[in-house]
Amino acid sequence: MTSNHCADKTNKSTQLDKVSFAMDQFRLDSLDVFAAIVRCGGFRAAALERGVSSSALSQTINALEEALGIRLLNRTTRSVAPTDAGQRLLQRLGPALTDIRLAVDDLNQLKENPSGTLRINAPGPAIDHLLCPAMFTFMDTYADIKVELISDAAVIDIVEQGFDAGVRFGKQLAQDMIAVPLGPSLRYAIVASPDYIAKHGLPLTPNDLAGHNCIRRRFPGGTLVSWKFEKGGDALEVLPEGRLTVSSAHNELQAAVAGCGLAHIFEDYATPDLTNGRLTEVLKDWSPLLPSWYLYYPSKKHSSAAMRELVSFLRSYDWELSRMPA
């Protein structure tokens, strides 16, 4: 390989480096510096505006001109003016930089002012008994914030799926998530209508469920919900048997009220019907307390004003207000 050929390769490599520089993210600031110098009428005034030295701006313009391969500014000891190439660039550059500033301002508005849309992924019971009542109050307080609640029992990647936050039990949360507890501890209740109990008797232990018609529930993924019990240090898990299988807690409750069998359901769903006597709770002393739900989200850093206000609101919310019928 000849020395001339090596020199050509070196020159081409240098040109490619310059093109790479021209496409680099740093160029955006260089173009903004160029526009500021023309607008201010010189390096010194632009340096004062930006809070940097004149020599720093001079180095930026030198690097920009070298990368583009053309002079942008005519400089004398008394004045600075754009060349024809600089003037042409400025004409195209001005509207683009304005659009960029407006875009950044819009982001700052979202960061500083509570507005925009918050998307939250949560299981149905959490939406029914916690989020909906709380969000009604939250949205009444923050008129510029929109809220989208998506009911989903599956454990998902909220970032990948485009959600601002999710709600799950604590044991289901990734370690890199920030979690905020929502409401008191939870409890499943085993309930049936008085007519069903009159016909089929009262189960006294979880083992007695084998002789009963249980209303089963299946998760969207296909798994049947097992019933868990605990008393005096003894823990049992029962996969119920029964003629009816549903996929919704609301349908499970309907079936229990209609006398179709025993239902295993969050206490909050059953409370209104327990209060008015349409349902009776059984095996109450076998029903363990569960951890509360948690709102979780990726990071406090760079979160929007809307998200910050939501977290603050939920931390101070009176959760007893949300213990309302579904």
Side-chain angles (χ1 to χ4, degrees):
M1 184 179 294
T2 65
S3 58
N4 287 338
H5 186 68
C6 289
D8 289 342
K9 285 192 67 176
T10 302
N11 289 336
K12 288 180 180 178
S13 177
T14 302
Q15 290 299 322
L16 287 174
D17 288 342
K18 290 180 178 179
V19 171
S20 177
F21 171 84
M23 299 301 294
D24 193 272
Q25 185 178 0
F26 174 69
R27 268 289 315 284
L28 181 61
D29 186 59
S30 301
L31 294 172
D32 192 43
V33 167
F34 165 66
I37 291 169
V38 175
R39 184 181 69 252
C40 295
F43 284 84
R44 183 176 181 181
L48 288 172
E49 179 186 85
R50 299 174 73 87
V52 297
S53 67
S54 298
S55 61
L57 296 191
S58 180
Q59 290 174 10
T60 298
I61 294 300
N62 288 339
L64 178 61
E65 290 177 331
E66 183 178 354
L68 296 176
I70 193 169
R71 180 175 288 277
L72 300 176
L73 293 173
N74 286 322
R75 290 163 256 189
T76 69
T77 55
R78 295 184 178 181
S79 65
V80 174
T83 63
D84 288 342
Q87 190 63 45
R88 182 177 297 187
L89 176 62
L90 195 62
Q91 288 173 354
R92 298 289 298 274
L93 198 60
L97 287 174
T98 298
D99 286 344
I100 290 170
R101 291 190 190 98
L102 288 174
V104 173
D105 285 343
D106 284 345
L107 291 178
N108 287 334
Q109 286 293 318
L110 284 176
K111 187 174 67 174
E112 300 300 332
N113 302 314
S115 61
T117 300
L118 293 173
R119 299 185 72 237
I120 303 173
N121 182 287
I127 291 178
D128 288 339
H129 300 291
L130 294 177
L131 288 182
C132 269
M135 290 304 98
F136 300 156
T137 304
F138 178 75
M139 294 176 70
D140 189 49
T141 304
Y142 298 97
D144 293 330
I145 297 178
K146 299 176 182 178
V147 176
E148 186 174 343
L149 301 176
I150 303 299
S151 178
D152 188 355
V155 178
I156 66 164
D157 185 331
I158 58 170
V159 176
E160 183 180 281
Q161 297 295 322
F163 290 96
D164 296 285
V167 175
R168 295 294 183 274
F169 288 126
K171 65 181 180 181
Q172 295 176 311
L173 305 184
Q175 292 185 351
D176 58 346
M177 291 291 171
I178 298 170
V180 179
L182 304 179
S185 299
L186 304 169
R187 194 175 71 88
Y188 274 105
I190 308 298
V191 297
S193 69
D195 286 344
Y196 176 87
I197 293 174
K199 291 178 182 178
H200 301 280
L202 196 69
L204 300 178
T205 71
N207 292 324
D208 294 340
L209 295 176
H212 282 270
N213 192 28
C214 297
I215 303 162
R216 308 192 304 172
R217 184 154 49 90
R218 192 181 297 277
F219 286 126
T223 305
L224 283 169
V225 177
S226 61
W227 298 9
K228 297 178 181 179
F229 302 94
E230 186 178 312
K231 181 180 179 181
D234 294 329
L236 293 173
E237 185 169 351
V238 176
L239 190 62
E241 294 293 335
R243 296 172 56 204
L244 178 64
T245 302
V246 297
S247 61
S248 160
H250 296 286
N251 297 145
E252 192 175 356
L253 182 66
Q254 279 182 295
V257 171
C260 294
L262 294 163
H264 169 266
I265 198 165
F266 275 121
E267 183 181 24
D268 285 340
Y269 280 115
T271 296
D273 291 308
L274 290 171
T275 301
N276 63 29
R278 295 172 69 186
L279 288 177
T280 299
E281 184 174 1
V282 302
L283 301 176
K284 187 172 184 177
D285 54 341
W286 280 91
S287 181
L289 286 178
L290 303 171
S292 65
W293 297 108
Y294 284 84
L295 179 94
Y296 67 100
Y297 56 102
S299 174
K300 293 181 180 178
K301 188 176 182 181
H302 303 314
S303 61
S304 67
M307 189 63 200
R308 294 197 303 270
E309 291 300 327
L310 175 63
V311 171
S312 177
F313 173 84
L314 293 177
R315 287 187 186 280
S316 61
Y317 186 69
D318 182 356
W319 290 107
E320 289 303 319
L321 294 176
S322 68
R323 306 296 287 267
M324 57 180 286

